[in-house]
Amino acid sequence: YFYLHFQYNGVFTFGVFALFFHFLEVRGVVIYEFTVRKFRWVLFISCFPAYALSTLWTQPVTVIQFLGMVSALIQVFALGFFIRSFQGTIDNWLKDISTTARILLMLSFMAFVIKLILQLLSSFPSVAMLAYEVRNYVIAYLHLVLIAQISFFLLAWYHEYFNRQVIGKYEVFLIVTGFIVSEIVLISTGWIPTSISHVIIVLASVLMATGLGIIAYRSFYIQSEREFQLPN
């Protein structure tokens, strides 16, 4: 849990936001740097005590539970700084980017907001124990962060920053559909027979893998075509 927490809440999350703000800056979107710095420091400082949220299943002392709840509240508070850092200046930029990137960015942002809400809910001991007892809830949470928040953003960033020819709507549909189906099955533990849920998750994984495979193949094909293209 220590490793996972500082991986997806630390390295991956801060990497995504660094790329996001750099992308806005390159595209000429007005950013309120003072507010961005507030967001960065609040999120950074709260990342350390937020590790307490990953230990609540051990039923620690009250101080640890309180620390987890406070850190979760602080991260929700940081969300306000994030939104205010480009408030009123991002609308035109969203209209300029492709529909594919816009959808992926919106899904990534929604996943981040849901993650913050779930962190706050998990600060309550009863919810923390429920997540510990039903491991599929933990897996669904990790998928929410690693696939939706992180991977969806990286796909949108690559699509807009490097090559719009690589990622198409069909591939995005496969990946997003596979993700949503797998999440529904994971959080529906106990409602769907295990034998059926396993099959559905496999099929959902195949959808996501197919979408990513098409993207990888198309990227390799376009790159190879450029390398072997004769100069005029």
Side-chain angles (χ1 to χ4, degrees):
Y1 282 118
F2 182 90
Y3 171 78
L4 283 174
H5 171 75
F6 287 103
Q7 182 187 58
Y8 64 78
N9 282 323
V11 176
F12 288 171
T13 294
F14 285 105
V16 160
F17 283 120
L19 292 174
F20 176 71
F21 282 113
H22 178 263
F23 189 37
L24 293 184
E25 187 178 20
V26 169
R27 291 299 181 92
V29 178
V30 177
I31 301 173
Y32 303 105
E33 294 185 8
F34 180 71
T35 310
V36 173
R37 286 196 293 271
K38 282 185 177 181
F39 168 67
R40 177 186 63 191
W41 282 111
V42 171
L43 198 66
F44 174 74
I45 294 172
S46 64
C47 180
F48 294 95
Y51 172 62
L53 294 169
S54 299
T55 67
L56 296 183
W57 60 272
T58 63
Q59 297 181 331
V61 294
T62 306
V63 174
I64 300 299
Q65 295 179 356
F66 178 76
L67 189 63
M69 181 175 291
V70 170
S71 62
L73 283 170
I74 291 175
Q75 292 205 351
V76 172
F77 181 69
L79 178 64
F81 286 125
F82 173 72
I83 296 174
R84 288 171 56 192
S85 64
F86 50 78
Q87 188 174 12
T89 65
I90 201 173
D91 293 341
N92 292 332
W93 175 73
L94 287 174
K95 294 176 182 177
D96 291 338
I97 64 176
S98 65
T99 303
T100 298
R102 193 182 308 119
I103 292 173
L104 289 170
L105 285 174
M106 291 176 63
L107 290 173
S108 177
F109 176 71
M110 288 173 58
F112 177 64
V113 174
I114 294 173
K115 178 182 85 80
L116 295 181
I117 295 173
L118 292 177
Q119 282 184 169
L120 184 59
L121 292 176
S122 69
S123 64
F124 295 94
S126 58
V127 179
M129 286 304 299
L130 179 64
Y132 171 69
E133 293 170 356
V134 184
R135 294 304 177 90
N136 280 354
Y137 290 167
V138 177
I139 297 173
Y141 174 79
L142 291 175
H143 280 192
L144 175 73
V145 178
L146 297 174
I147 297 178
Q149 179 189 333
I150 307 298
S151 298
F152 285 178
F153 170 82
L154 291 176
L155 288 173
W157 175 76
Y158 179 80
H159 180 72
E160 284 296 309
Y161 205 86
F162 289 100
N163 196 334
R164 289 192 177 186
Q165 295 177 313
V166 173
I167 305 175
K169 295 180 181 179
Y170 177 71
E171 298 83 72
V172 171
F173 175 78
L174 290 177
I175 296 171
V176 172
T177 300
F179 165 74
I180 293 175
V181 170
S182 64
E183 286 291 279
I184 292 174
V185 173
L186 287 171
I187 64 177
S188 300
T189 299
W191 293 27
I192 303 175
T194 304
S195 57
I196 297 177
S197 64
H198 286 175
V199 173
I200 296 176
I201 288 178
V202 168
L203 294 176
S205 300
V206 169
L207 287 179
M208 288 187 283
T210 301
L212 290 172
I214 295 172
I215 292 172
Y217 172 78
R218 186 176 293 159
S219 177
F220 176 78
Y221 177 79
I222 292 175
Q223 184 64 28
S224 300
E225 193 176 54
R226 287 177 178 176
E227 291 179 355
F228 290 101
Q229 187 176 17
L230 295 175
N232 293 329

